[in-house]
């Protein structure tokens, strides 16, 4: 998205710190200093993928230019110094959403290596983490976050693609939610980050995971500066945007910015930029920041057409010689307002039926492994004494017991109202790392009725891999007396979940994969001597390990790299040493 010149000017203010920050970020991703970009190769938006087209006004303020609240506690404790406020800190629920998205992406997209801080950088620049929009612990917002109508002009022209489902507009599309997804892009990249069965771009848990999916598209590895640059450019075709997002990402990675409560007062960022001549982060004259309500300054001048009231006469002092008259109970006291009559019940409206019991929906026992999210959701139905559902009942869900389990949103207690069918459900539960049992207890707020208990068990996470595979599928070829240029990366998993800490051994074998080759490709030991069997490091937190460089001698032909995990899983990787004179194109 191209950026309004007024916004670009607002971030071109340069002190020495800002210049150094921009320069360092430019070097980090191998890009030129900020300027609008036209045509960015494969990161340019396609007709079916309009996210990178101009679709709103991002907040391009850099971290060292953002205001802080002096005199409050520092992030992480203590007193004095600068503390994060609604502009510099990350709201508690937003942080939980970003970290949850990165954790899920590590399993769903293990080759991407997306950090939560990058997702947070997008959320900061697009909506300032939904600050000022009434962010709730379930990830929703009290007020919608919408960009401008995409009718053309300074923004792209995108006709309606969602029939107004997400943006409320049935004629043109508008970017929506904390990370400002265009509805048609959400249709491709949308995700369910909180496990409620709905992919909602207006919910920050879903939006954060959808952002991860979008940035990781096209098999990008965000450990690569080139792929990182392409990923951010695909979100917004602007170098200023890349600089701002990566500046916030690096700031969050430094650990210098902490969390703030969801309701921390802050002026909401307006991505529509529909107020001419004014930054979307600046409140309108005569408004209270963060509220949008008009305020009138006090004035001592009389209003036109009204007479100035004359000074009041002093109240005469009571005569001590005269007794104070007692109030007449038959006469109304002029100092007291007339009592309002009790409202009469409307005989045409039925009385609400009181809740007498809860009925569980779903299993009474849950089970998963440490670090996973339970597939089930706590769900109940509120019923009256006749067994009929009661709507509008406040149901409390609470995690009880010595456990590290938390509802998504990092809380042990959530409250949800029953719908018209009398049903209410909580967010899904993250098991945490602690093994054992706990209870999800469901009660009715303000009612002394029997609770519903759901018993959950957290089993130890598996410590072995049931599968090892090579990441990537490019053919591994090298010339004699050289080395294979492509890195060989192995992924270990169990039940589809990445498995860290798995040891492996690699052996260069003949083409049939049996035994050990006497010649051909080889590794080097610590003294630089050729060896054809090597003990590898253990897999990292993403269940991956990268093999040492593989060299070749003067022998040509086909070989096999046999990789065996400590669990006995075997993977065969084919190697080909080709003669230098070979000109034929290798088969796919």
């Amino acid at each position: 998205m191209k950026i309004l010149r007024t916004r670009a000017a607002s971030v071109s203010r340069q002190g020495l710190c800002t210049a150094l920050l921009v320069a360092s970020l430019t070097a980090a991703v191998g890009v030129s200093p900020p300027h609008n970009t036209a045509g960015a190769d494969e990161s340019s938006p396609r007709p079916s993928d309009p996210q990178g087209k101009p679709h709103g006004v991002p907040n391009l303020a850099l971290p060292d230019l953002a205001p802080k609240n002096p005199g409050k506690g520092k992030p992480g404790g203590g007193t004095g110094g600068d503390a994060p406020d609604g502009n510099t800190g990350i709201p508690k629920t937003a942080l939980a959403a970003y970290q949850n998205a990165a954790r899920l992406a590590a399993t769903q997209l293990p080759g991407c290596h997306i950090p939560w801080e990058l997702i947070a950088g997008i959320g900061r620049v697009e909506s300032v983490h939904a600050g000022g929009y009434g962010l709730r612990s379930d990830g929703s917002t009290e007020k919608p976050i919408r960009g401008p109508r995409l009718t053309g002009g300074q923004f792209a022209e995108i006709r309606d693609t969602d029939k107004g489902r997400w943006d409320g507009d049935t004629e043109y599309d508008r970017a929506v939610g904390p990370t400002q997804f265009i509805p048609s892009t959400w249709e491709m990249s949308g995700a369910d980050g909180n496990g409620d069965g709905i992919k909602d771009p207006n919910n920050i848990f879903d939006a954060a995971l959808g952002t991860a999916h979008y940035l990781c598209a096209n098999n990008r590895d965000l450990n690569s500066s080139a792929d990182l640059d392409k990923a951010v450019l695909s979100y917004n075709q602007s170098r200023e945007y890349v600089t701002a997002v990566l500046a916030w990402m690096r700031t969050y990675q430094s650990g210098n910015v902490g969390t703030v409560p969801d309701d921390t007062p802050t002026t909401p960022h307006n991505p529509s930029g529909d107020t001419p001549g004014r930054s979307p982060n600046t409140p309108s004259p005569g408004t209270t920041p963060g509220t949008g309500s008009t305020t009138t300054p006090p004035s001592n001048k009389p209003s036109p057409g009204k007479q100035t009231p004359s000074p009041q006469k002093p109240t005469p002092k009571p005569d001590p010689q005269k007794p104070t008259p007692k109030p007449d109970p038959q006469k109304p006291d002029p100092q007291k307002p007339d009592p309002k009559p009790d409202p009469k019940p409307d005989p045409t409206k039925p009385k609400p039926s009181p809740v007498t019991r809860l009925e569980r929906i779903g299993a009474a026992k849950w089970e998963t492994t440490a670090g996973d999210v339970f597939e089930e959701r706590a769900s109940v139905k509120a019923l009256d004494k006749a067994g009929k559902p009661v709507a509008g009942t406040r149901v409390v869900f609470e995690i009880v017991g010595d456990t590290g389990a938390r509802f998504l949103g990092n809380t042990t207690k959530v409250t949800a109202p029953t719908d018209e069918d009398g049903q209410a459900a909580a967010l899904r539960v993250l098991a945490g790392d602690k093994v054992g049992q706990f209870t999800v207890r469901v009660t009715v707020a303000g009612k002394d009725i029997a609770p519903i208990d759901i018993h959950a068990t957290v089993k130890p996470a598996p410590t072995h891999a049931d599968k090892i595979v090579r990441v990537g599928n490019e053919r591994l070829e090298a010339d004699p007396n050289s080395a294979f240029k492509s890195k060989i990366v192995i992924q270990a998993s169990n039940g589809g979940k990445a498995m860290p800490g798995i040891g492996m051994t690699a052996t260069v074998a003949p083409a049939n994969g049996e035994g050990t080759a006497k010649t051909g490709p080889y590794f080097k030991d610590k003294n630089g001597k050729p060896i054809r069997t090597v003990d590898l490091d253990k897999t990292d937190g993403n269940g991956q390990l990268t093999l040492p460089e593989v060299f070749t001698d003067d022998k040509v032909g086909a070989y096999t790299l046999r990789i065996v995990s400590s669990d006995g899983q075997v993977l065969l990787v084919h190697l080909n040493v080709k003669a230098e004179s070979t000109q034929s194109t290798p088969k796919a």
Side-chain angles (χ1 to χ4, degrees), residues 391-402:
T393 300
R394 294 176 64 244
V395 178
V396 180
F397 301 85
E398 184 175 10
I399 295 175
V400 180
D402 184 12

Side-chain angles (χ1 to χ4, degrees), residues 202-513:
N202 296 294
N203 186 290
I204 199 166
F205 284 98
D206 295 355
L209 184 57
T211 298
H213 285 188
Y214 182 83
L215 295 173
C216 290
N218 301 320
N219 296 316
R220 295 189 184 105
D221 180 355
L222 300 186
N223 280 342
S224 162
S225 59
D227 278 1
L228 178 62
D229 184 46
K230 291 175 183 178
V232 181
L233 273 175
S234 72
Y235 219 97
N236 186 310
Q237 292 290 298
S238 162
R239 289 297 180 187
E240 290 93 340
Y241 186 89
V242 173
T243 298
V245 168
L246 296 184
W248 284 104
M249 181 187 77
R250 305 297 185 205
T251 298
Y252 298 143
Q253 288 176 330
S254 72
N256 291 330
V257 179
T259 59
V260 297
D262 292 340
D263 58 357
T264 298
T266 183
T267 304
H269 171 64
N270 180 5
S272 68
D274 56 3
T275 304
R278 181 175 63 87
S279 167
N281 259 9
T282 305
S284 302
T287 62
T288 302
T291 64
S293 59
T294 303
T295 58
T296 304
S299 174
N300 294 326
K301 296 181 180 181
S303 302
K306 293 184 178 181
Q307 296 181 354
T308 303
S310 57
Q312 294 182 353
K313 297 181 180 180
T315 303
K317 296 182 179 180
D319 188 346
Q321 302 298 326
K322 295 182 180 181
T324 302
K326 295 182 180 180
D328 187 346
Q330 302 298 327
K331 295 182 180 180
D333 187 343
Q335 301 298 325
K336 295 183 179 180
D338 294 335
K340 295 181 179 180
D342 295 332
K344 295 182 179 179
D346 187 346
T348 63
K349 293 185 179 180
K351 295 181 180 180
S353 301
V355 177
T356 59
R357 63 186 177 93
L358 293 175
E359 183 179 275
R360 179 175 43 248
I361 301 174
K365 294 183 179 181
W366 297 352
E367 191 175 274
T368 193
T369 54
D372 282 344
V373 176
F374 286 94
E375 292 185 3
E376 303 87 347
R377 295 175 65 199
S379 181
V380 296
K381 179 182 286 188
L383 303 172
D384 63 12
K385 63 181 180 181
K388 295 181 179 179
V390 182
T393 300
R394 294 176 64 244
V395 178
V396 180
F397 301 85
E398 184 175 10
I399 295 175
V400 180
D402 184 12
T403 176
R406 296 289 185 272
F407 291 107
L408 293 181
N410 196 29
T411 180
T412 59
K413 181 185 288 187
V414 295
T415 302
T418 55
D419 59 18
E420 60 184 8
D421 295 322
Q423 297 183 13
L427 298 172
R428 291 173 68 184
V429 176
L430 174 64
D433 297 328
K434 191 166 186 176
V435 175
Q437 297 181 333
F438 65 91
T439 298
V440 178
R441 181 157 296 159
V442 190
T443 58
V444 175
K447 291 281 187 178
D448 185 16
I449 62 177
I452 293 291
D453 282 350
I454 300 171
H455 302 288
T457 301
V458 181
K459 301 184 300 182
T463 57
H464 65 280
D466 62 7
K467 186 177 183 180
I468 57 174
V469 297
R470 178 180 164 225
V471 177
N473 57 7
E474 67 272 19
R475 190 169 182 175
L476 296 173
E477 291 187 328
D479 295 324
N481 298 313
S482 63
F484 289 88
K485 296 181 180 180
S486 298
K487 292 183 178 180
I488 303 175
V489 181
I490 307 301
Q491 173 76 54
S493 61
N494 186 301
K497 179 182 178 182
M499 290 304 303
I502 304 298
M504 301 186 194
T505 300
T507 301
V508 178
N512 61 9

Side-chain angles (χ1 to χ4, degrees), residues 83 90 101 133 161-162 183 225 277 304-305 366 429:
I90 302 179
Y133 285 92
T161 60
D162 66 337
S225 59
W366 297 352
V429 176

